Amino acid sequence: GKMRNRRYTVRRGPLVVYGEDQGVVRAFRNIPGVQTASIRDLNLLKLAPGGYFGRFLIWTESAFRMLSKIYGTLKSGAPMKRGYTLPRAQMENADVARIINSTEVQSVLRPKLEAPKVVPRKVNAIRSKDAMEKLNPYAPEAKAAEKKRQEDKSAVKARKAASKEYNKKHKRGPDTF
C-alpha cells in the first residue's frame, strides 16, 4: 500500500550474516543499503523481504560454523536446539518422471479417464432456419403462407390506393360517391 509513509517501496540491498561481531557491524553501517544480521537473529523477513526469494546474502566464516552448531547436520542433532533434527528429503531418487512411467506404478494406476462429452452449443431457433425446422417441421410452410398473406395485403392496399386516386381524378360533382 501507499499509505502511512510507504509511498515508495525501498529495494533491499545485500545482507551480511555474521556469527561473531568482530567489528562487522561497524564496518558496514556506513554503507547505504547494506544491512547486517547476527546468525542468532535471522528470520525469514530478513532473508526474503516481502516473501520474495533471491536477496544477496554475504556469509562470514564464523556464521557458517555457527550454522552447524544451531541446526546440526543430517547425521547428528542440533547441539543448541534441544530435540531438533534437520528435515530429510522424502525421496531418495528425485527422477519423478521415470518413477511415474515405470511399469510397477503404471500397473497399479487406474486407466486414463475419457474426455467429457462435448455438449453442442444451443442454437437460437428464431435466427437459424435449420434449428427452427428441427423444432417445428411446419415452419417453412407457415413462413411461406405468411409471406403470401403479406403480399396479398399489400396488393389490396395498392388497389385501394389506385381506386382512390382514380376517383379523385374523375370526380363529377356532388352526385359522385
Side-chain angles (χ1 to χ4, degrees), residues 98-152:
R98 194 184 65 150
I99 293 170
I100 289 173
N101 293 327
S102 68
T103 53
E104 294 88 9
V105 173
Q106 290 297 321
S107 63
V108 179
L109 293 177
R110 286 183 287 152
K112 186 179 173 186
L113 291 174
E114 292 177 19
K117 192 174 91 176
V118 177
V119 180
R121 198 163 162 222
K122 186 192 173 294
V123 182
N124 190 346
I126 294 169
R127 290 186 186 163
S128 170
K129 289 179 184 176
D130 296 334
M132 178 59 95
E133 201 171 323
K134 260 186 198 172
L135 293 173
N136 182 7
Y138 179 69
E141 288 86 16
K143 199 166 188 177
E146 178 64 25
K147 193 173 183 183
K148 189 176 181 324
R149 196 178 67 79
Q150 290 292 336
E151 286 171 0
D152 292 346

Side-chain angles (χ1 to χ4, degrees), residues 15-18 39 42 47 57-61 63-64 67:
L15 177 71
V16 179
V17 182
Y18 61 90
I39 189 81
L42 272 185
L47 294 174
L57 299 173
I58 301 167
W59 295 81
T60 62
E61 196 178 331
F64 261 108
L67 273 177

Side-chain angles (χ1 to χ4, degrees), residues 43-79:
N43 64 28
L44 192 60
L45 287 175
K46 286 183 182 176
L47 294 174
Y52 297 105
F53 293 111
R55 185 169 188 183
F56 181 49
L57 299 173
I58 301 167
W59 295 81
T60 62
E61 196 178 331
S62 60
F64 261 108
R65 272 192 249 108
M66 282 295 284
L67 273 177
S68 58
K69 288 180 186 172
I70 294 172
Y71 297 106
T73 60
L74 289 172
K75 293 176 183 161
S76 66

